[in-house]
Amino acid sequence: MKLWETLSLVSCIRSLNAEITDDLIVCLGVSRHVGDALKGCASPHLRKICAVGIPPWGIIENQRDLIGKDVVCLYQTLGNPLSKLSTLNSMHSHFLMADDGTVGKYGNEMMLRRNLEKYISLQKIHTRMGQGVPVVGLVVEGGPNVILMVREYVRASPSVPVVVYEGTGRAADILAFTHKHTGDTGELRPQVKKEVLVMIQNTFSLGQKQSSHLFHILMECMERRESITIFDAESEDQQDIDLAILTALLKGTNMSAADQLDLALAWNRLDIAKKHILVYGQHWKVGALEQAMLDALVMDRVDFVKLLIEHGVNMHCFLTISRLEELYNTKQGPSNLLLHHLVQDVKQNTLSLDYKISLIDIGLVIEYLLGGAYRSSYTRKHFRILYNDLYRKHKERSTAFHKCKKKSKEDINFAENYESSGFIYPYNDLLVWAVLMKRQKMAMFFWQHGEEAMVKAVVACKLYRAMAREAKQSNMVDDTSEELKKYSKEFGQLALDVLEKAFKQNEQMAMKLLTYELKNWSNSTCLKLAVSVGLRPFISHTCTQMLLTDMWMGRLKMRKNSWFKATSL
């Protein structure tokens, strides 16, 4: 493999956070490349990767070094060049040895390997999703046993997609050549058939009978050729190997569009979602994109949030009380013990780590951080009535659901419409959520959307600054306080930039923006909030100073009428 190809393989491994199973022997097929990839691109992220080696016990060099129970073994990875045995690759995390008593023979590990892959495929790829871990076969070089394994993959139910890396030699090249020359009928022309038989004989040093048997197995693979993808690195229009593997996973399984989007989200592969999933003509069930939006927010996938909005997700319809509450209670993404600490402070009570935070709790936290006479919309009387009524109706409907075991479509629509009526400016609420959850990239994204950009920047600046102060006072062991101060400065600069641009375009309108009463922000003004933060560059800006001068001097307006003089008669 070339360097860029190895890097692409690592990129794919990172994307999948994969469990890799191969023979993992230094001189065998894909194992060497996986080991080299992990070695050449070692990083803290790759330590999470579980690369499982399943070699036959009978072909391992220095077997005696590995014998023991609950002991640490020192293993010599330098093999004897004259020996037919092979050493283990040290860049893998685990090894499972298959022993059937044979020596120097490959293939007895195939059953163990396939059973492990089936077990892994039943595990959940992500805690939020029902999709199991996808399995794909990657053929790089390989011997006769690889062709047997490909047959088992493509004939499985459901079939396992296989990617063949053409140009790596041996089994891979034979599979690629046969695949390209097999027609839709699954048959080869007589001349090509002879050529393939010769390739098998010369490549694996087999007799005519053994070659014919392997050729028969090869043609059984071609009966399911739609499950096999050929990757040709020399082709000019060929995509990278990681994209080829991930694309084969999507095409080779009978997943719905929503399940495919779930996989792209879990892999964090925006390119695959754009090119293969969110395309014209794709059928989507009602609410499927909204569920994807919720998953994207929970997993902190900013690019996916942007993509879903571009494809029609209406945030006014999406954001409901229960969804926003779920976002505040998610355990995924950046760890946030500070919010739990703040809720404890405002409630003046010790709370368990699994305590479910309510939006009313969040309202109290916002009031505590912003200080003064600020009143959060989450603590106002009309919202409390809406909130309590909503959960009372949820409880009643849940009871009725258990009795009749079926919800009508009208009931579901009523609940969603009733619940979504709580948020007039959803981007503002999501900005505050992102700030309190310490998700700066997401906060920046929501700041760019919706209304009232200047005040949103000031509010985010103040929230971050107050959170930094609380983090410092609570003696958190990490550098949370400094991180929050940095975020606060970034939003402070954004507020100043917006004020500067507005002032250059229209001075009078810019001053009105500073004194306009903001109904969604406790009827406060941008100027009051900036003063309470102590945002000095903002307050010392020419626009702010002109406004303050006019407020002090009243109707004299000394700036525009500097020729006025007060005289006594």
Side-chain angles (χ1 to χ4, degrees), residues 219-274:
M219 296 312 297
E220 287 182 345
C221 296
M222 295 305 120
E223 292 174 3
R224 306 286 181 88
R225 65 192 303 273
E226 68 278 1
S227 297
I228 301 174
T229 301
I230 306 301
F231 176 80
D232 182 7
E234 302 300 325
S235 176
E236 292 182 359
D237 58 347
Q238 181 64 60
Q239 58 194 353
D240 289 342
I241 181 65
D242 61 331
L243 188 57
I245 293 172
L246 299 177
T247 304
L249 278 172
L250 294 181
K251 291 183 176 179
T253 52
N254 297 321
M255 290 187 292
S256 64
D259 288 337
Q260 290 182 358
L261 187 56
D262 283 347
L263 281 180
L265 260 170
W267 297 336
N268 198 17
R269 292 303 297 254
L270 189 72
D271 52 346
I272 291 178
K274 281 183 176 179

Side-chain angles (χ1 to χ4, degrees), residues 197-478:
L197 279 167
V198 171
M199 287 177 66
I200 292 173
Q201 286 178 334
N202 295 338
T203 302
F204 302 124
S205 301
L206 299 177
Q208 187 174 358
K209 186 177 180 180
Q210 291 174 310
S211 298
S212 298
H213 177 67
L214 191 58
F215 175 80
H216 178 71
I217 294 172
L218 183 64
M219 296 312 297
E220 287 182 345
C221 296
M222 295 305 120
E223 292 174 3
R224 306 286 181 88
R225 65 192 303 273
E226 68 278 1
S227 297
I228 301 174
T229 301
I230 306 301
F231 176 80
D232 182 7
E234 302 300 325
S235 176
E236 292 182 359
D237 58 347
Q238 181 64 60
Q239 58 194 353
D240 289 342
I241 181 65
D242 61 331
L243 188 57
I245 293 172
L246 299 177
T247 304
L249 278 172
L250 294 181
K251 291 183 176 179
T253 52
N254 297 321
M255 290 187 292
S256 64
D259 288 337
Q260 290 182 358
L261 187 56
D262 283 347
L263 281 180
L265 260 170
W267 297 336
N268 198 17
R269 292 303 297 254
L270 189 72
D271 52 346
I272 291 178
K274 281 183 176 179
K275 188 174 180 180
H276 299 285
I277 304 172
L278 291 169
V279 294
Y280 179 77
Q282 186 72 274
H283 176 70
W284 294 95
K285 292 182 179 179
V286 176
L289 289 182
E290 290 191 353
Q291 181 58 45
M293 173 63 79
L294 184 62
D295 294 333
L297 289 169
V298 167
M299 291 187 275
D300 204 22
R301 308 281 202 241
V302 179
D303 291 336
F304 272 92
V305 172
K306 181 180 178 182
L307 182 65
L308 289 167
I309 290 175
E310 291 173 354
H311 279 79
V313 175
N314 187 322
M315 300 306 283
H316 289 83
C317 298
F318 163 77
L319 193 64
T320 61
I321 290 174
S322 62
R323 280 178 178 160
L324 185 57
E325 211 161 70
E326 182 179 348
L327 290 174
Y328 274 110
N329 284 281
T330 181
K331 303 300 181 185
Q332 299 177 36
S335 61
N336 193 13
L337 293 176
L338 179 59
L339 181 59
H340 187 268
H341 167 77
L342 290 170
V343 173
Q344 282 191 145
D345 280 357
V346 297
K347 293 183 75 71
Q348 297 182 348
N349 195 6
T350 302
L351 304 175
S352 62
L353 289 175
D354 59 349
Y355 171 78
K356 184 179 179 182
I357 298 172
S358 70
L359 287 186
I360 296 174
D361 295 336
I362 296 298
L364 295 173
V365 169
I366 294 171
E367 291 175 356
Y368 175 70
L369 294 174
L370 294 182
Y374 188 90
R375 282 287 306 277
S376 169
S377 59
Y378 302 157
T379 60
R380 291 184 179 274
K381 185 178 179 180
H382 73 275
F383 183 85
R384 286 178 180 268
I385 293 173
L386 177 67
Y387 183 87
N388 293 329
D389 198 27
L390 171 70
Y391 277 91
R392 179 178 58 80
K393 288 180 181 293
H394 266 311
K395 192 173 182 180
E396 290 174 357
R397 289 175 185 278
S398 178
T399 304
F401 172 73
H402 286 299
K403 288 181 179 179
C404 67
K405 298 294 181 183
K406 186 176 182 181
K407 274 189 179 179
S408 69
K409 189 173 182 180
E410 292 76 12
D411 286 346
I412 295 172
N413 290 338
F414 172 79
E416 289 181 350
N417 293 334
Y418 183 80
E419 194 179 348
S420 62
S421 63
F423 305 107
I424 302 173
Y425 305 103
Y427 289 107
N428 293 5
D429 295 280
L430 288 168
L431 169 74
V432 172
W433 163 76
V435 169
L436 293 179
M437 298 293 286
K438 300 191 303 180
R439 302 186 179 204
Q440 176 68 347
K441 288 183 180 179
M442 192 71 78
M444 284 288 188
F445 173 79
F446 286 127
W447 173 79
Q448 295 169 0
H449 290 72
E451 306 79 13
E452 304 168 341
M454 187 159 63
V455 68
K456 284 198 295 186
V458 173
V459 168
C461 174
K462 182 165 186 179
L463 286 173
Y464 272 135
R465 186 172 295 187
M467 289 166 67
R469 184 183 65 248
E470 290 295 320
K472 188 173 183 180
Q473 291 177 355
S474 63
N475 298 319
M476 289 195 167
V477 294
D478 55 11

Side-chain angles (χ1 to χ4, degrees), residues 139 163-169 172-173 176-177 180 230-234:
V139 179
V163 177
V164 178
Y165 203 128
E166 185 179 5
T168 55
D173 285 358
F177 181 84
K180 287 183 178 180
I230 306 301
F231 176 80
D232 182 7
E234 302 300 325

Side-chain angles (χ1 to χ4, degrees), residues 6-22 24 33-53 89-95 120 133:
T6 301
L7 292 173
S8 293
L9 181 56
V10 172
S11 174
C12 181
I13 294 169
R14 278 201 186 114
S15 298
L16 291 169
N17 192 19
E19 280 85 11
I20 313 162
T21 60
D22 55 35
L24 295 180
H33 303 302
V34 171
D36 291 345
L38 295 173
K39 182 179 180 180
C41 305
S43 72
H45 300 289
L46 291 177
R47 292 173 191 162
K48 299 178 182 179
I49 294 173
C50 184
V52 183
N89 188 295
S90 62
M91 295 307 298
H92 296 86
S93 57
H94 301 79
F95 288 99
I120 291 174
V133 175

Side-chain angles (χ1 to χ4, degrees), residues 68-86:
K69 183 178 180 180
D70 298 329
V71 296
V72 177
C73 300
L74 297 177
Y75 182 75
Q76 176 58 261
T77 58
L78 292 177
N80 183 352
L82 300 178
S83 173
K84 293 184 179 180
L85 301 180
S86 303

Side-chain angles (χ1 to χ4, degrees), residues 509-560:
M509 288 300 296
M511 286 190 277
K512 285 183 179 180
L513 284 175
L514 291 173
T515 55
Y516 171 73
E517 277 198 1
L518 303 157
K519 294 181 179 179
N520 196 46
W521 303 101
S522 188
N523 293 321
S524 185
T525 67
C526 196
L527 182 59
K528 284 181 183 178
L529 290 169
V531 171
S532 66
V533 180
L535 198 54
R536 293 182 181 180
F538 189 91
I539 297 169
S540 62
H541 189 273
T542 306
C543 179
T544 312
Q545 290 302 306
M546 284 172 53
L547 175 64
L548 292 174
T549 300
D550 284 348
M551 293 171 69
W552 275 101
M553 303 304 294
R555 291 183 176 272
L556 290 178
K557 293 186 178 180
M558 297 298 292
R559 181 178 64 83
K560 289 192 175 181

